Amino acid sequence: MYFSGGAELLFDKKKKHDVNLPAKETPWTIKDLLPWMKDNMLKERPELFIQGETVRPGILVLINDADWELMGELDYSIQNKDKIVFISTLHGG
Amino acid sequence: MAEEEIEHLKKLIAEKDKEIEKLKGATNIQKDFLTHVDENHVNDLPKKSKLSNPEISRYSRQLILPEIGIKGQVLLSNTSILIVGAGGLGCPAAIYLAAAGVGCLGLVDYDEVELSNLHRQILHSESKVNVKKCVSAAQACTELNSFVKCVPYHLQLNSSNALKIISQYDIVLDATDNVATRYLLNDACILAGKPLVSGSALRFEGQLTVYNYKGGPCYRCLYPKPPPPETVTNCSDGGVLGVIPGIIGSLQALEAIKIATGNECSYNQKLLMYDGLEGTFRTIRLRGRQSTCPICSDNPTITQLIDYEQFCGARASDKDKSVTVLNREDRLSAADYKSLLDKDHPHILVDVRQPVEVDICKLPTNSINIPLNDLHKSSSVNQLSSMINSMSEETTDQVPVICVCRRGNDSQLAVQKIKETLKHDNVAIQDIIGGLTSWAKTVDPEFPTY
Ligand SMILES: [Zn+2]
């Protein structure tokens, strides 16, 4: 898992995280992953990362270097060794 | 004796001549910009079909690239490009486009040059502080290449002028610094049918995408909803290393040149993420044009420009704004705090800035540094509690706990946080209005501002 654009500031200020998801009967989807991240990885102010069941506006999710919209968004089922990236959009100039 | 006198007078005359030249220059600077748009300043340029000999010599090193050639160079010299924002991204983009020989370069910026811009906005120099950024940038571009027509616009792009300006240009560069203007530019480019080369930078990172080009997505396809304002960080608060917008702005110029010369553009439906600290460029495949997009789909729900400040809940600038959340009685002016210091009044000063900021400057007294985001931690609460306890053993009065930050915004939030977490009733928690900025302004003019 990888965070950038400032999204890493919510996750121990670390950009790269190796994550082992616990075993589960049904395959892990992004929809399952987000609340799991909220409970297990997010230290503070979850509203800056998650809103409702999805990420907040202004965060782009990438699965193996592709926009998650191309991969099924929340319904994408996570494979072993997938690289999931959360980018906060930059606005400065 | 007479000869000496003559020499001296000659010197004086030369000096005065120089002064006159300088003043003439300054008056030129003040005249040549637009503050509103009522006529077309761009399309009156005659279209070129060939290059002059000085142009051939000048552009020779790029003319011999088969991807450019005479044909590409002529295309470039017939292309008009609008750069919105003459800052960290706009400066490098403008100077490379001018150097490459675009026909017309529009430069939009409502702002004036400040000392804190110079580390990244490299077309402005020390002598340009307080000069209009659009004028300063246009002057630098004209000095480099007088073949290029530069049109500086000293105005804030908004819903009523954006289309008038954008429709005069072929390609638009988003080199702005705030969310509201980014949505405005996107929508205006869709309505006017112009490609938008969008760059952004913060800290050590940069991003680049080309929107509304050859059926690709627009900004709204990617970001249908604006980010919550509290999640948006500007360069003044987040910091930025000058080279980062330098790299992204240069890449924006490159993409614009490729579009103008009929080459394939590289970041259509792609996002470039540059991490300067790690030294990595990643290119991400983006979604295509969205059939549900409110502006660029076949059935748009937005057919004219809207109020973007309202849509984003944020102002169309990256200027720092001051907020007031505390009552006046919970606040001290910088002067009040000074007299408290002069009286040696016992108190606890909590500096709620980041440690890196405390290293830059701090008030001339003992303070503890607990960054705003750490205030809720039990270690912070305990530290503060024990300080209050030991101080209240010496007095029956309330112990003053005073929060300070850079501008007096975070310190107010800090007061609220401490009030929530601290279980003492013998404390008076206050903050310093306007923070260290106000201290420098009203108490100690020698105190640094950043
Ligand atoms: Zn769109």
Side-chain angles (χ1 to χ4, degrees), chain B residues 258-317:
Chain B
K258 279 156 43 181
I259 292 171
T261 54
N263 283 288
E264 199 67 43
C265 113
S266 306
Y267 296 103
N268 178 20
Q269 210 181 323
K270 284 187 189 136
L271 165 68
L272 170 75
M273 287 164 57
Y274 173 57
D275 186 324
L277 211 48
E278 292 193 349
T280 51
F281 286 91
R282 287 159 199 268
T283 306
I284 281 108
R285 276 188 299 131
L286 292 176
R287 67 195 72 175
R289 174 165 287 184
Q290 299 291 288
S291 60
T292 52
C293 179
I295 182 105
C296 80
S297 64
D298 293 336
N299 298 303
T301 51
I302 300 170
T303 51
Q304 56 185 17
L305 299 178
I306 59 169
D307 183 334
Y308 293 88
E309 296 194 331
Q310 190 189 30
F311 173 67
C312 297
R315 291 197 310 160
S317 91

Side-chain angles (χ1 to χ4, degrees), chain B residues 41-50 74 77-79 103-104 147 149:
Chain B
H41 297 269
V42 181
N43 293 348
D44 52 1
L45 283 180
K47 291 284 170 201
K48 270 189 192 157
S49 54
K50 61 190 190 68
V74 168
S77 69
N78 286 324
T79 300
C104 178
F147 286 114
K149 176 177 176 175

